[in-house]
Amino acid sequence: MSYALHSDRLALPASGLQRQYTCGTIRNGNYFIAATTAGDLCIFSLAHKIFRSSIPVCNGGITSLVP
């Protein structure tokens, strides 16, 4: 078994979303959910390759996600 990793460009908002991402998970094969040091969850649509939402969750940052 082997895995391949590649990157794709995603459309982001024009301003205001400069974040450092700490971890992420893919849900249902359609959405990438990323945690940030600012305490936000950022949701990206993989099918359309666009940013969908940023949800403030906590202060101090998110260090892990459990699906």
Side-chain angles (χ1 to χ4, degrees):
M1 179 182 290
S2 66
Y3 296 94
L5 182 66
H6 69 276
S7 62
D8 285 326
R9 292 188 178 267
L10 296 169
L12 292 170
S15 65
L17 194 68
Q18 187 173 8
R19 299 282 189 264
Q20 181 178 354
Y21 299 95
T22 56
C23 56
T25 184
I26 295 175
R27 300 296 294 169
N28 301 329
N30 295 324
Y31 295 99
F32 176 64
I33 302 171
T36 71
T37 56
D40 298 338
L41 286 178
C42 293
I43 303 169
F44 299 90
S45 170
L46 296 177
H48 300 102
K49 297 183 181 176
I50 58 171
F51 169 80
R52 299 304 278 168
S53 182
S54 176
I55 304 166
V57 176
C58 66
N59 292 327
I62 301 170
T63 57
S64 65
L65 294 172
V66 178

